[in-house]
Amino acid sequence: MQTVHKPSFAEHRIWYGIILFLVEFVRGAFLVSFLPTYAVNALGFTVTTVGWAVSIHYIADTVIKCYAGYLLDRFSLRFTVACGLAVSMAGLWLLYQVHSVWLLIGASALFGIGLSPIWLVCLSKVKPEHRAEQMGMLYTCWLAGLGAGPIVINFIIDKSYSITFWLMMGLWGVSLLLSLFITNTKLSTPTQIPLQDQLAMLWDRLRSMKKLLPGMTLQTTAAGILVPVLPGFASHALGFSYSQYSYLLIAGGVLTVAALIPMGKLSDRFGKKWFLILGFTAFAIMLFSLTLASQLWMALTLAGLLGISYAAVLPAWNALLAQYVPNNNQGLGWGLFSSVEGIGVIIGPVIGGWIADTFSESMAVLASAVLLGAIAVYYWIAPPEGTGERVALKN
């Protein structure tokens, strides 16, 4: 009798990776490039309104993630993902049809609601014995899509808003079609912990890592400030086309990826404290200098140095955070930390939009640089604990 072959995660990971890549490609393209450009230049909304739309998007995404266990326990994986992507596709379509502020905000929330399920499915497919390898693959797809989306879309925005939008809709439709063929088998099930216990664990972790909290919130706030203003800054302050703006993103992204591993090894060897301080300092200086760039080659050089600065910070930062993650609840631990960092992602776009409208896009970029510089000064005065040993916390 012929046996039925059951596909393993290794055989399905490309399948899930493609869906995740497409979803994050469109999200990055829309939020970072299309929405700030189209809403301001074509629809006449203020940058502050765009900031609110971006913030509401992430709030909706975060709220849905809080119901991860409920969704996974009560619905099939295929149904959850397909419904989520369909809801987000409706939100994406509405965002192109809006003519009022409240419809823009509501459509942005709708777009955020349907994005979480694909992550829930990917996490449920991860085998516990190969968690590090498979999580690395998922995050690679996520970062690749989130980074490639704005770069590719900027080249098309110069040609036509309509073509750009329908390309994003088409890619989203492909991801929705692919989701109809995913399996419903869960290789791992996240441990369900009562809300009261989750809050107690969160409080315990926050108390023990209080020196890291300013960096967790301020750096994501600084990044969030830039989201609604960068396309306008490149166009109005620097005088670049959106295609040239893509070259800046490429320069920063390529050098970030190239420098991550060397910087990680160096931070392990020489200590994470100084890599945080010097990395944040360099980031602030390069961002400030970018407001003074008058030629493309200068901006490209500064963007590359920004990428190297980010590469200096990221490995040391994640290594410090990892010391506070409980061994027996790593998923929950990282989720709690992401929630704290998410505060900055939510408030940053609103602050950035308000500064851009009240003053200028350049002033918003300077505000982001000031926050990053403040983090460097803070960690120089009060360096976080981090000797390479896992912080002793009760699990």
Side-chain angles (χ1 to χ4, degrees):
M1 180 181 295
Q2 185 178 4
T3 58
V4 177
H5 174 66
K6 295 182 178 180
S8 63
F9 180 87
E11 295 170 300
H12 276 298
R13 60 184 174 183
I14 296 179
W15 190 268
Y16 293 102
I18 291 174
I19 298 176
L20 185 60
F21 172 83
L22 289 174
V23 166
E24 294 299 337
F25 181 98
V26 176
R27 192 218 293 251
F30 189 85
L31 294 180
V32 177
S33 293
F34 187 84
L35 182 62
T37 303
Y38 177 71
V40 173
N41 297 337
L43 301 180
F45 291 119
T46 64
V47 183
T48 301
T49 300
V50 173
W52 274 108
V54 173
S55 295
I56 293 298
H57 168 87
Y58 283 109
I59 290 173
D61 185 19
T62 301
V63 169
I64 291 299
K65 284 179 180 176
C66 294
Y67 294 92
Y70 179 89
L71 293 173
L72 286 175
D73 287 343
R74 288 161 178 78
F75 303 101
S76 71
L77 303 185
R78 186 184 300 121
F79 177 81
T80 302
V81 173
C83 285
L85 293 180
V87 169
S88 281
M89 192 172 188
L92 184 61
W93 182 81
L94 283 174
L95 282 166
Y96 191 60
Q97 315 298 322
V98 295
H99 297 289
S100 70
V101 172
W102 292 112
L103 185 56
L104 177 71
I105 298 297
S108 185
L110 201 62
F111 183 45
I113 286 174
L115 283 164
S116 294
I118 182 59
W119 267 108
L120 307 184
V121 160
C122 288
L123 291 175
S124 73
K125 295 289 183 178
V126 172
K127 290 183 177 180
E129 61 270 24
H130 299 295
R131 181 173 299 275
E133 174 189 353
Q134 294 170 7
M135 287 298 292
M137 184 275 294
L138 293 178
Y139 275 101
T140 298
C141 294
W142 169 63
L143 286 173
L146 203 58
I151 292 173
V152 173
I153 290 301
N154 280 329
F155 287 109
I156 306 173
I157 287 179
D158 277 335
K159 308 296 182 183
S160 167
Y161 285 127
S162 179
I163 294 174
T164 304
F165 172 76
W166 288 111
L167 173 62
M168 291 187 293
M169 284 290 287
L171 292 175
W172 200 272
V174 171
S175 67
L176 176 57
L177 181 62
L178 291 177
S179 71
L180 300 176
F181 299 96
I182 64 175
T183 64
N184 285 316
T185 304
K186 303 174 187 178
L187 299 182
S188 64
T189 302
T191 302
Q192 300 300 310
I193 300 178
L195 179 60
Q196 183 177 355
D197 294 343
Q198 292 186 38
L199 294 176
M201 182 181 295
L202 173 61
W203 179 248
D204 181 51
R205 293 307 181 271
L206 295 183
R207 288 179 58 192
S208 66
M209 59 191 296
K210 53 188 176 183
K211 286 186 177 181
L212 287 177
L213 294 180
M216 294 177 72
T217 54
L218 288 182
Q219 66 175 297
T220 52
T221 301
I225 286 174
L226 297 176
V227 172
V229 305
L230 274 183
F233 170 73
S235 176
H236 303 147
L238 302 182
F240 296 156
S241 67
Y242 295 116
S243 297
Q244 291 173 319
Y245 172 45
S246 279
Y247 294 138
L248 299 183
L249 296 178
I250 292 172
V254 168
L255 286 180
T256 297
V257 173
L260 273 175
I261 294 178
M263 287 295 180
K265 292 181 178 180
L266 289 173
S267 67
D268 286 338
R269 180 176 179 181
F270 295 106
K272 302 173 184 65
K273 168 188 172 182
W274 290 109
F275 271 77
L276 288 178
I277 295 173
L278 295 176
F280 280 120
T281 300
F283 211 131
I285 293 173
M286 294 306 111
L287 205 54
F288 171 80
S289 301
L290 192 59
T291 63
L292 305 176
S294 58
Q295 297 180 5
L296 182 59
W297 71 267
M298 295 174 59
L300 287 172
T301 301
L302 291 171
L305 292 174
L306 276 170
I308 295 174
S309 302
Y310 182 61
V313 168
L314 191 59
W317 180 255
N318 285 338
L320 284 173
L321 284 185
Q323 298 178 62
Y324 294 86
V325 178
N327 285 321
N328 60 341
N329 282 299
Q330 293 197 18
L332 176 61
W334 285 112
L336 294 175
F337 298 163
S338 296
S339 298
V340 175
E341 292 179 324
I343 295 173
V345 176
I346 291 171
I347 66 175
V350 176
I351 296 173
W354 177 81
I355 294 175
D357 281 333
T358 305
F359 303 100
S360 67
E361 286 98 344
S362 295
M363 190 62 68
V365 174
L366 289 175
S368 179
V370 168
L371 284 181
L372 293 168
I375 299 173
V377 172
Y378 174 80
Y379 284 141
W380 180 60
I381 297 174
E385 298 177 2
T387 61
E389 299 294 331
R390 180 173 290 274
V391 175
L393 292 170
K394 65 181 180 179
N395 294 327

